[in-house]
Amino acid sequence: MSAARLSAARATADQAACHALLNCLVKEFALPLALADEGCLRRPLGLPFQLYRRLQSPDVVPLPVRMPDGVRFVVLADRKDSLGSQSYRSAVFGKRPGEGWRMLTPALLARFMLDSCAAITKERNPELLEQILASRDLKRAVTAHFAGRAPAPLADYLRSEQCLWYGHPAQVAPKARLWPASLPQEEVSPEFGAALRLHLFDVPADGLWVAANGLSRQQALDAFADQDGAAAGHVRISMHPIQAELFLADPRVQGLLKAGRIRDLGRGGFLSHPTASVRTMYVKEHGYFIKGSLNVRITNCVRKNAWYELESALLIDRLLARLVHEQPGTTGGLEVVAEPAALSWSPDGCSEADRIWFREQTGAILRRNFCLDEGEGQCLLAGTVFGRDLALRSNVLVFLEHHLGRAPSERDLLEWFAAYAALLLRPVLAMFFHHGVIFEPHLQNTVLVHRRGQPRKLLLRDFEGVKLSAEHGMREVPQETHERVRQSMAYPRAQGWKRIAYCLFVNNLSEAVLALTQGRPGLAPAMWRQVRRQLQDIRAELQAPAPELDELLAGAAIPCKANFRIRLAAAADRFAGYVDLRAPWETLQ
């Protein structure tokens, strides 16, 4: 690769890394704390000289921020947005008190932000800078690897899973992965188009826990791994190769291997493709995805399957299937991706602590392979639909131009967005208000099914993340359910609404609006007016009280999950709080 192409690829990766950091700064600090430094716009000579000429351009909006400790940031954007969802049109500049303006690299921006935001929260995470830089480095490696020859991100389902180049748009370290250095990124990362065989172990059947809905025990086992050749009284289980390496390094596992109680069969499992989540594996022409444990921090969480989450996923699978079958008029046209089986294994005779550890290392879930029914070419991960390609162009605009045979008109964009928003909003809100079911409809839990580019279905997935309101939804949980499983599922209604509202409006729809209006920011208000009208229509259809929706339509704020703040606190993601942002349709009045 030429030096010029390598330099351009690196610049693109750094730009994407800065964008994620800026999104966190704007959403979690600048907007909710009213830190916009409007005064500096009346004194332009106090801004970086590199921005003077562009400040006069009608297609840019300056976003200046003055932090309480005196640190200042400024960047040019394509719009001002009440949810902090904008495209950035310049480098970001920063200055500390007594110093001049500096153009900030991702590392400098991260250092400025970590210091200044920690002064507000009074919390600091010494590991976070390293994770931010690791995320930046993976983006650099990906852009360099594909410079000038990247695959089309929305060509088919697998591409959409493996071409989410930049990850979550509002996480400071969306591509941070702390796994063994012995496994090269190119071999195991979805972004590089990895394909690898699952790692197999032969284990005693006596220690196996299997639960299934609509599948026999043997059918479930066969879906996780080919059982032909398993020793008598044993079964085969499969793992992600990274998880297998971590598993094999543990002294407890080494003891079982030495004693001959389990056997390491190596990478002889299904040929699998890691998806955007890294630990969920897509097996072409197989009936199921396999979602295994991965005891590694990815983005913001260690991705292991806790035993109680395995059991809750199966319970949710049964509940949703029953509601869709028995009460279809109350589910808003809900379409979900079934998770009909789960397993885990632990050796007989071990302590309770060791039993839990083994179950968490070996835990796995089957997820229905919807591509077999819908067609791999018609299914797309929503996160990539509304993401950017390696030139930072909007994927969905390129996608629509391909299917329309021309550049999409404003009418095309409005109609497409209206169809998408309806497919997303109606089932999520109906399930919450009618049944107390709390989905987590963020961009990586949403699969778009299209026909010739037009939205036809929206599939919601990941039952491990589905919760039930303590006041309503938990009534459907059998009394004999283990208390720890019940605890993992129950959410106070207020917390559940915040989760839903954040995922719907901040994480999902605001990114859809941003991607569809790249180059046409003036079209965004019309899209948000469509959302408000759809919410009014849904409210009229609901057959249950919906006070939260009433308040939202009356002007209540939209909760935004504080992804950065919880990382500063070095706390588990489940403890993340929310900040309030103004609803975009309120800014139109």
Side-chain angles (χ1 to χ4, degrees):
M1 183 187 304
S2 70
R5 182 170 288 180
L6 185 61
S7 177
R10 180 173 175 144
T12 300
D14 283 4
Q15 192 175 354
C18 284
H19 291 181
L21 289 163
L22 284 168
N23 284 340
C24 293
L25 179 70
V26 172
K27 292 175 187 292
E28 298 184 37
F29 291 91
L31 288 176
L33 298 180
L35 299 178
D37 187 13
E38 300 295 346
C40 77
L41 301 180
R42 295 187 291 272
R43 304 183 302 277
L45 292 179
L47 292 175
F49 72 88
Q50 296 95 326
L51 301 183
Y52 287 167
R53 183 178 299 176
R54 296 195 63 193
L55 281 170
Q56 309 307 313
S57 174
D59 65 344
V60 298
V61 176
L63 294 182
V65 178
R66 184 187 293 270
M67 303 297 283
D69 63 354
V71 171
R72 296 169 63 187
F73 301 94
V74 66
V75 65
L76 301 183
D78 70 336
R79 70 193 76 189
K80 283 187 178 179
D81 182 78
S82 68
L83 297 181
S85 187
Q86 55 277 313
S87 292
Y88 300 104
R89 304 293 298 277
S90 74
V92 58
F93 293 83
K95 70 186 298 292
R96 290 178 167 133
E99 299 177 356
W101 287 102
R102 286 199 278 178
M103 187 184 298
L104 301 182
T105 63
L108 272 175
L109 176 57
R111 291 186 176 97
F112 273 43
M113 281 178 54
L114 290 173
D115 290 342
S116 197
C117 293
I120 296 174
T121 66
K122 310 303 180 187
E123 294 173 308
R124 183 180 294 274
N125 180 353
E127 299 177 347
L128 189 51
L129 179 60
E130 177 186 356
Q131 294 167 13
I132 291 171
L133 298 182
S135 177
R136 176 207 62 186
D137 290 346
L138 180 58
K139 291 179 182 181
R140 285 179 174 179
V142 169
T143 55
H145 182 81
F146 286 112
R149 51 185 179 85
L154 302 183
D156 56 36
Y157 176 71
L158 179 58
R159 291 280 181 84
S160 75
E161 284 281 5
Q162 295 197 327
C163 295
L164 186 63
W165 306 120
Y166 307 117
H168 193 304
Q171 287 276 6
V172 290
K175 292 295 180 180
R177 295 168 192 164
L178 305 179
W179 57 39
S182 58
L183 291 170
Q185 292 277 14
E186 292 79 1
E187 183 181 345
V188 292
S189 291
E191 295 84 0
F192 295 98
L196 56 160
R197 292 198 173 273
L198 296 178
H199 199 111
L200 295 181
F201 291 91
D202 184 284
V203 300
D206 290 346
L208 194 68
W209 173 85
V210 181
N213 299 327
L215 297 176
S216 69
R217 175 185 172 94
Q218 190 60 48
Q219 287 173 324
L221 288 173
D222 288 339
F224 282 110
D226 186 348
Q227 300 299 317
D228 287 348
H234 285 231
V235 296
R236 288 178 172 177
I237 62 173
S238 60
M239 281 188 192
H240 192 292
I242 294 172
Q243 180 68 1
E245 182 163 323
L246 297 170
F247 187 65
L248 288 165
D250 191 90
R252 289 165 289 192
V253 176
Q254 292 170 1
L256 292 173
L257 288 166
K258 187 175 182 179
R261 294 179 63 186
I262 66 174
R263 286 195 301 145
D264 175 11
L265 302 178
R267 293 197 200 179
F270 298 128
L271 179 64
S272 306
H273 304 267
T275 61
S277 72
V278 182
R279 65 167 169 155
T280 301
M281 307 300 282
Y282 175 48
V283 185
K284 288 197 173 192
E285 306 304 322
H286 188 53
Y288 304 95
F289 295 79
I290 299 175
K291 178 183 177 181
S293 272
L294 191 51
N295 204 27
V296 170
R297 180 178 294 281
I298 297 175
T299 305
N300 61 330
C301 293
V302 175
R303 307 291 171 165
K304 64 183 179 182
N305 285 325
W307 68 269
Y308 49 83
E309 290 171 336
L310 298 179
E311 297 190 20
S312 71
L314 270 291
L315 193 153
I316 291 292
D317 182 79
R318 290 193 297 274
L319 171 62
L320 296 180
R322 179 170 61 79
L323 291 175
V324 169
H325 177 70
E326 296 179 358
Q327 302 182 50
T330 66
T331 60
L334 178 69
E335 297 267 4
V336 295
V337 183
E339 294 185 353
L343 66 72
S344 62
W345 179 84
S346 60
D348 285 345
C350 63
S351 68
E352 180 64 12
D354 282 353
R355 187 184 70 84
I356 291 173
W357 183 87
F358 274 99
R359 287 198 66 184
E360 288 181 340
Q361 304 308 303
T362 59
I365 294 173
L366 292 183
R367 179 179 290 162
R368 179 177 64 85
N369 183 358
F370 44 81
C371 291
L372 297 181
D373 297 322
E374 305 292 350
E376 187 176 356
Q378 283 71 54
C379 299
L380 299 170
L381 177 67
T384 306
V385 172
F386 304 123
R388 303 293 180 268
D389 67 13
L390 290 178
L392 296 179
R393 296 172 302 187
S394 167
N395 286 333
V396 69
L397 293 183
V398 176
F399 171 77
L400 289 176
E401 184 169 349
H402 169 75
H403 283 280
L404 292 170
R406 55 175 170 79
S409 67
E410 289 193 359
R411 180 176 178 178
D412 293 326
L413 296 172
L414 288 170
E415 290 179 350
W416 196 98
F417 176 74
Y420 175 82
L423 290 170
L424 176 69
L425 290 168
R426 184 164 274 104
V428 172
L429 294 175
M431 292 300 292
F432 178 70
F433 291 115
H434 288 149
H435 302 292
V437 177
I438 303 163
F439 280 98
E440 193 175 21
H442 59 60
L443 289 169
Q444 277 192 226
N445 279 350
T446 310
V447 175
L448 172 68
V449 180
H450 70 92
R451 295 292 181 264
R452 294 181 294 280
Q454 297 302 306
R456 287 295 176 264
K457 291 183 182 180
L458 216 60
L459 309 179
L460 298 176
R461 66 183 183 188
D462 191 8
F463 294 170
E464 178 187 327
V466 175
K467 307 299 179 184
L468 302 174
S469 66
E471 300 85 343
H472 183 187
M474 288 299 291
R475 298 175 193 168
E476 301 293 332
V477 178
Q479 288 298 318
E480 64 271 17
T481 303
H482 193 287
E483 184 58 28
R484 186 65 187 90
V485 177
R486 297 178 67 89
Q487 290 173 359
S488 75
M489 300 173 65
Y491 261 41
R493 179 177 175 128
Q495 184 181 2
W497 171 251
K498 287 181 178 180
R499 186 190 214 202
I500 284 175
Y502 161 71
C503 287
L504 286 178
F505 303 112
V506 182
N507 180 293
N508 202 316
L509 288 179
S510 74
E511 292 301 316
V513 170
L514 180 64
L516 287 163
T517 62
Q518 188 179 58
R520 298 177 180 178
L523 191 58
M527 292 185 176
W528 286 117
R529 281 192 286 269
Q530 288 180 324
V531 171
R532 181 176 173 81
R533 286 194 295 270
Q534 288 191 12
L535 292 176
Q536 291 170 330
D537 291 344
I538 291 168
R539 179 64 187 94
E541 297 168 5
L542 290 172
Q543 304 166 34
E548 296 87 353
L549 183 52
D550 292 335
E551 291 170 4
L552 184 63
L553 289 169
I558 290 178
C560 175
K561 185 181 174 187
N563 294 309
F564 179 32
R565 286 173 177 257
I566 197 64
R567 300 299 307 283
L568 276 173
D573 188 65
R574 65 180 178 274
F575 298 123
Y578 294 82
V579 296
D580 286 339
L581 299 177
R582 191 178 181 190
W585 49 84
E586 293 298 321
T587 65
L588 307 176
Q589 299 178 1

PDB file of all heavy atoms in Angstrom, residues 32-53:
ATOM      1  N   PRO A  32     -26.962  18.241  28.305  1.00  0.00           N
ATOM      2  CA  PRO A  32     -27.722  18.240  29.572  1.00  0.00           C
ATOM      3  C   PRO A  32     -27.245  19.273  30.581  1.00  0.00           C
ATOM      4  O   PRO A  32     -28.036  19.718  31.416  1.00  0.00           O
ATOM      5  CB  PRO A  32     -27.536  16.813  30.095  1.00  0.00           C
ATOM      6  CG  PRO A  32     -26.327  16.290  29.417  1.00  0.00           C
ATOM      7  CD  PRO A  32     -26.294  16.944  28.068  1.00  0.00           C
ATOM      8  N   LEU A  33     -25.976  19.681  30.513  1.00  0.00           N
ATOM      9  CA  LEU A  33     -25.443  20.659  31.464  1.00  0.00           C
ATOM     10  C   LEU A  33     -25.381  22.071  30.865  1.00  0.00           C
ATOM     11  O   LEU A  33     -24.850  22.984  31.515  1.00  0.00           O
ATOM     12  CB  LEU A  33     -24.045  20.232  31.932  1.00  0.00           C
ATOM     13  CG  LEU A  33     -23.961  18.899  32.676  1.00  0.00           C
ATOM     14  CD1 LEU A  33     -22.522  18.601  33.079  1.00  0.00           C
ATOM     15  CD2 LEU A  33     -24.875  18.897  33.895  1.00  0.00           C
ATOM     16  N   ALA A  34     -25.933  22.238  29.650  1.00  0.00           N
ATOM     17  CA  ALA A  34     -25.974  23.543  28.995  1.00  0.00           C
ATOM     18  C   ALA A  34     -24.591  24.185  28.945  1.00  0.00           C
ATOM     19  O   ALA A  34     -24.375  25.311  29.395  1.00  0.00           O
ATOM     20  CB  ALA A  34     -26.971  24.464  29.696  1.00  0.00           C
ATOM     21  N   LEU A  35     -23.624  23.460  28.374  1.00  0.00           N
ATOM     22  CA  LEU A  35     -22.236  23.938  28.320  1.00  0.00           C
ATOM     23  C   LEU A  35     -21.873  24.546  26.975  1.00  0.00           C
ATOM     24  O   LEU A  35     -20.696  24.813  26.717  1.00  0.00           O
ATOM     25  CB  LEU A  35     -21.282  22.777  28.628  1.00  0.00           C
ATOM     26  CG  LEU A  35     -21.447  22.129  30.006  1.00  0.00           C
ATOM     27  CD1 LEU A  35     -20.471  20.968  30.173  1.00  0.00           C
ATOM     28  CD2 LEU A  35     -21.268  23.142  31.118  1.00  0.00           C
ATOM     29  N   ALA A  36     -22.866  24.758  26.104  1.00  0.00           N
ATOM     30  CA  ALA A  36     -22.560  25.384  24.810  1.00  0.00           C
ATOM     31  C   ALA A  36     -22.011  26.789  25.051  1.00  0.00           C
ATOM     32  O   ALA A  36     -22.621  27.597  25.762  1.00  0.00           O
ATOM     33  CB  ALA A  36     -23.815  25.445  23.949  1.00  0.00           C
ATOM     34  N   ASP A  37     -20.869  27.073  24.467  1.00  0.00           N
ATOM     35  CA  ASP A  37     -20.174  28.348  24.682  1.00  0.00           C
ATOM     36  C   ASP A  37     -20.583  29.329  23.586  1.00  0.00           C
ATOM     37  O   ASP A  37     -19.795  29.680  22.706  1.00  0.00           O
ATOM     38  CB  ASP A  37     -18.662  28.099  24.664  1.00  0.00           C
ATOM     39  CG  ASP A  37     -17.856  29.335  25.044  1.00  0.00           C
ATOM     40  OD1 ASP A  37     -18.455  30.303  25.547  1.00  0.00           O
ATOM     41  OD2 ASP A  37     -16.637  29.319  24.821  1.00  0.00           O
ATOM     42  N   GLU A  38     -21.846  29.777  23.641  1.00  0.00           N
ATOM     43  CA  GLU A  38     -22.347  30.651  22.584  1.00  0.00           C
ATOM     44  C   GLU A  38     -21.621  31.991  22.562  1.00  0.00           C
ATOM     45  O   GLU A  38     -21.533  32.646  21.530  1.00  0.00           O
ATOM     46  CB  GLU A  38     -23.857  30.870  22.770  1.00  0.00           C
ATOM     47  CG  GLU A  38     -24.688  29.597  22.728  1.00  0.00           C
ATOM     48  CD  GLU A  38     -24.670  28.910  21.376  1.00  0.00           C
ATOM     49  OE1 GLU A  38     -24.233  29.540  20.394  1.00  0.00           O
ATOM     50  OE2 GLU A  38     -25.091  27.738  21.289  1.00  0.00           O
ATOM     51  N   GLY A  39     -21.104  32.402  23.705  1.00  0.00           N
ATOM     52  CA  GLY A  39     -20.429  33.696  23.762  1.00  0.00           C
ATOM     53  C   GLY A  39     -19.243  33.789  22.831  1.00  0.00           C
ATOM     54  O   GLY A  39     -18.953  34.847  22.274  1.00  0.00           O
ATOM     55  N   CYS A  40     -18.549  32.667  22.629  1.00  0.00           N
ATOM     56  CA  CYS A  40     -17.352  32.709  21.787  1.00  0.00           C
ATOM     57  C   CYS A  40     -17.702  32.988  20.333  1.00  0.00           C
ATOM     58  O   CYS A  40     -16.871  33.478  19.568  1.00  0.00           O
ATOM     59  CB  CYS A  40     -16.567  31.410  21.912  1.00  0.00           C
ATOM     60  SG  CYS A  40     -17.279  30.028  20.997  1.00  0.00           S
ATOM     61  N   LEU A  41     -18.934  32.694  19.926  1.00  0.00           N
ATOM     62  CA  LEU A  41     -19.324  32.942  18.547  1.00  0.00           C
ATOM     63  C   LEU A  41     -19.468  34.431  18.259  1.00  0.00           C
ATOM     64  O   LEU A  41     -19.403  34.860  17.106  1.00  0.00           O
ATOM     65  CB  LEU A  41     -20.639  32.220  18.235  1.00  0.00           C
ATOM     66  CG  LEU A  41     -20.606  30.697  18.420  1.00  0.00           C
ATOM     67  CD1 LEU A  41     -21.940  30.092  18.080  1.00  0.00           C
ATOM     68  CD2 LEU A  41     -19.495  30.082  17.580  1.00  0.00           C
ATOM     69  N   ARG A  42     -19.676  35.200  19.311  1.00  0.00           N
ATOM     70  CA  ARG A  42     -19.733  36.655  19.138  1.00  0.00           C
ATOM     71  C   ARG A  42     -18.343  37.280  19.173  1.00  0.00           C
ATOM     72  O   ARG A  42     -18.179  38.472  18.932  1.00  0.00           O
ATOM     73  CB  ARG A  42     -20.619  37.257  20.233  1.00  0.00           C
ATOM     74  CG  ARG A  42     -22.092  36.825  20.147  1.00  0.00           C
ATOM     75  CD  ARG A  42     -22.958  37.582  21.129  1.00  0.00           C
ATOM     76  NE  ARG A  42     -22.677  37.210  22.506  1.00  0.00           N
ATOM     77  CZ  ARG A  42     -23.265  36.205  23.152  1.00  0.00           C
ATOM     78  NH1 ARG A  42     -24.163  35.465  22.510  1.00  0.00           N
ATOM     79  NH2 ARG A  42     -22.976  35.929  24.403  1.00  0.00           N
ATOM     80  N   ARG A  43     -17.347  36.430  19.489  1.00  0.00           N
ATOM     81  CA  ARG A  43     -15.951  36.874  19.522  1.00  0.00           C
ATOM     82  C   ARG A  43     -15.120  35.897  18.691  1.00  0.00           C
ATOM     83  O   ARG A  43     -14.308  35.142  19.230  1.00  0.00           O
ATOM     84  CB  ARG A  43     -15.422  36.925  20.961  1.00  0.00           C
ATOM     85  CG  ARG A  43     -16.248  37.802  21.890  1.00  0.00           C
ATOM     86  CD  ARG A  43     -15.605  37.855  23.278  1.00  0.00           C
ATOM     87  NE  ARG A  43     -15.452  36.535  23.871  1.00  0.00           N
ATOM     88  CZ  ARG A  43     -16.432  35.893  24.516  1.00  0.00           C
ATOM     89  NH1 ARG A  43     -17.612  36.460  24.651  1.00  0.00           N
ATOM     90  NH2 ARG A  43     -16.213  34.698  25.044  1.00  0.00           N
ATOM     91  N   PRO A  44     -15.339  35.856  17.373  1.00  0.00           N
ATOM     92  CA  PRO A  44     -14.703  34.816  16.547  1.00  0.00           C
ATOM     93  C   PRO A  44     -13.188  34.837  16.577  1.00  0.00           C
ATOM     94  O   PRO A  44     -12.558  33.815  16.311  1.00  0.00           O
ATOM     95  CB  PRO A  44     -15.240  35.098  15.145  1.00  0.00           C
ATOM     96  CG  PRO A  44     -15.712  36.515  15.189  1.00  0.00           C
ATOM     97  CD  PRO A  44     -16.192  36.742  16.575  1.00  0.00           C
ATOM     98  N   LEU A  45     -12.598  35.988  16.917  1.00  0.00           N
ATOM     99  CA  LEU A  45     -11.135  36.008  16.954  1.00  0.00           C
ATOM    100  C   LEU A  45     -10.584  35.155  18.088  1.00  0.00           C
ATOM    101  O   LEU A  45      -9.387  34.890  18.141  1.00  0.00           O
ATOM    102  CB  LEU A  45     -10.632  37.456  17.081  1.00  0.00           C
ATOM    103  CG  LEU A  45     -10.884  38.350  15.864  1.00  0.00           C
ATOM    104  CD1 LEU A  45     -10.364  39.755  16.120  1.00  0.00           C
ATOM    105  CD2 LEU A  45     -10.232  37.760  14.626  1.00  0.00           C
ATOM    106  N   GLY A  46     -11.452  34.735  18.977  1.00  0.00           N
ATOM    107  CA  GLY A  46     -11.010  33.841  20.050  1.00  0.00           C
ATOM    108  C   GLY A  46     -11.064  32.378  19.682  1.00  0.00           C
ATOM    109  O   GLY A  46     -10.748  31.514  20.500  1.00  0.00           O
ATOM    110  N   LEU A  47     -11.452  32.074  18.441  1.00  0.00           N
ATOM    111  CA  LEU A  47     -11.547  30.692  17.983  1.00  0.00           C
ATOM    112  C   LEU A  47     -10.303  30.320  17.167  1.00  0.00           C
ATOM    113  O   LEU A  47      -9.554  31.201  16.732  1.00  0.00           O
ATOM    114  CB  LEU A  47     -12.805  30.508  17.137  1.00  0.00           C
ATOM    115  CG  LEU A  47     -14.131  30.616  17.903  1.00  0.00           C
ATOM    116  CD1 LEU A  47     -15.299  30.545  16.938  1.00  0.00           C
ATOM    117  CD2 LEU A  47     -14.243  29.540  18.960  1.00  0.00           C
ATOM    118  N   PRO A  48     -10.072  29.046  16.916  1.00  0.00           N
ATOM    119  CA  PRO A  48      -8.907  28.636  16.120  1.00  0.00           C
ATOM    120  C   PRO A  48      -8.923  29.281  14.740  1.00  0.00           C
ATOM    121  O   PRO A  48      -9.950  29.305  14.058  1.00  0.00           O
ATOM    122  CB  PRO A  48      -9.054  27.114  16.023  1.00  0.00           C
ATOM    123  CG  PRO A  48      -9.939  26.735  17.158  1.00  0.00           C
ATOM    124  CD  PRO A  48     -10.855  27.884  17.379  1.00  0.00           C
ATOM    125  N   PHE A  49      -7.782  29.783  14.302  1.00  0.00           N
ATOM    126  CA  PHE A  49      -7.719  30.475  13.019  1.00  0.00           C
ATOM    127  C   PHE A  49      -8.070  29.550  11.864  1.00  0.00           C
ATOM    128  O   PHE A  49      -8.545  29.991  10.813  1.00  0.00           O
ATOM    129  CB  PHE A  49      -6.329  31.094  12.804  1.00  0.00           C
ATOM    130  CG  PHE A  49      -5.244  30.094  12.522  1.00  0.00           C
ATOM    131  CD1 PHE A  49      -4.969  29.674  11.232  1.00  0.00           C
ATOM    132  CD2 PHE A  49      -4.496  29.548  13.567  1.00  0.00           C
ATOM    133  CE1 PHE A  49      -3.977  28.739  10.973  1.00  0.00           C
ATOM    134  CE2 PHE A  49      -3.501  28.604  13.311  1.00  0.00           C
ATOM    135  CZ  PHE A  49      -3.240  28.203  12.020  1.00  0.00           C
ATOM    136  N   GLN A  50      -7.868  28.226  12.044  1.00  0.00           N
ATOM    137  CA  GLN A  50      -8.168  27.281  10.967  1.00  0.00           C
ATOM    138  C   GLN A  50      -9.666  27.257  10.631  1.00  0.00           C
ATOM    139  O   GLN A  50     -10.055  26.777   9.558  1.00  0.00           O
ATOM    140  CB  GLN A  50      -7.719  25.864  11.340  1.00  0.00           C
ATOM    141  CG  GLN A  50      -6.217  25.702  11.513  1.00  0.00           C
ATOM    142  CD  GLN A  50      -5.796  25.843  12.963  1.00  0.00           C
ATOM    143  OE1 GLN A  50      -6.384  26.624  13.707  1.00  0.00           O
ATOM    144  NE2 GLN A  50      -4.774  25.090  13.354  1.00  0.00           N
ATOM    145  N   LEU A  51     -10.520  27.740  11.543  1.00  0.00           N
ATOM    146  CA  LEU A  51     -11.957  27.683  11.330  1.00  0.00           C
ATOM    147  C   LEU A  51     -12.545  28.994  10.820  1.00  0.00           C
ATOM    148  O   LEU A  51     -13.726  29.033  10.465  1.00  0.00           O
ATOM    149  CB  LEU A  51     -12.664  27.302  12.645  1.00  0.00           C
ATOM    150  CG  LEU A  51     -12.282  25.963  13.274  1.00  0.00           C
ATOM    151  CD1 LEU A  51     -13.119  25.714  14.513  1.00  0.00           C
ATOM    152  CD2 LEU A  51     -12.457  24.814  12.286  1.00  0.00           C
ATOM    153  N   TYR A  52     -11.761  30.082  10.782  1.00  0.00           N
ATOM    154  CA  TYR A  52     -12.315  31.392  10.457  1.00  0.00           C
ATOM    155  C   TYR A  52     -13.109  31.392   9.156  1.00  0.00           C
ATOM    156  O   TYR A  52     -14.268  31.792   9.101  1.00  0.00           O
ATOM    157  CB  TYR A  52     -11.200  32.438  10.340  1.00  0.00           C
ATOM    158  CG  TYR A  52     -10.596  32.856  11.661  1.00  0.00           C
ATOM    159  CD1 TYR A  52      -9.411  33.580  11.699  1.00  0.00           C
ATOM    160  CD2 TYR A  52     -11.211  32.533  12.864  1.00  0.00           C
ATOM    161  CE1 TYR A  52      -8.843  33.970  12.894  1.00  0.00           C
ATOM    162  CE2 TYR A  52     -10.649  32.915  14.074  1.00  0.00           C
ATOM    163  CZ  TYR A  52      -9.465  33.633  14.087  1.00  0.00           C
ATOM    164  OH  TYR A  52      -8.912  34.011  15.265  1.00  0.00           O
ATOM    165  N   ARG A  53     -12.453  30.944   8.082  1.00  0.00           N
ATOM    166  CA  ARG A  53     -13.106  31.013   6.778  1.00  0.00           C
ATOM    167  C   ARG A  53     -14.351  30.144   6.729  1.00  0.00           C
ATOM    168  O   ARG A  53     -15.391  30.548   6.219  1.00  0.00           O
ATOM    169  CB  ARG A  53     -12.120  30.604   5.692  1.00  0.00           C
ATOM    170  CG  ARG A  53     -12.688  30.725   4.273  1.00  0.00           C
ATOM    171  CD  ARG A  53     -11.644  30.363   3.248  1.00  0.00           C
ATOM    172  NE  ARG A  53     -10.500  31.267   3.333  1.00  0.00           N
ATOM    173  CZ  ARG A  53      -9.397  31.119   2.601  1.00  0.00           C
ATOM    174  NH1 ARG A  53      -9.297  30.102   1.756  1.00  0.00           N
ATOM    175  NH2 ARG A  53      -8.403  31.970   2.714  1.00  0.00           N
TER     176      ARG A  53
END
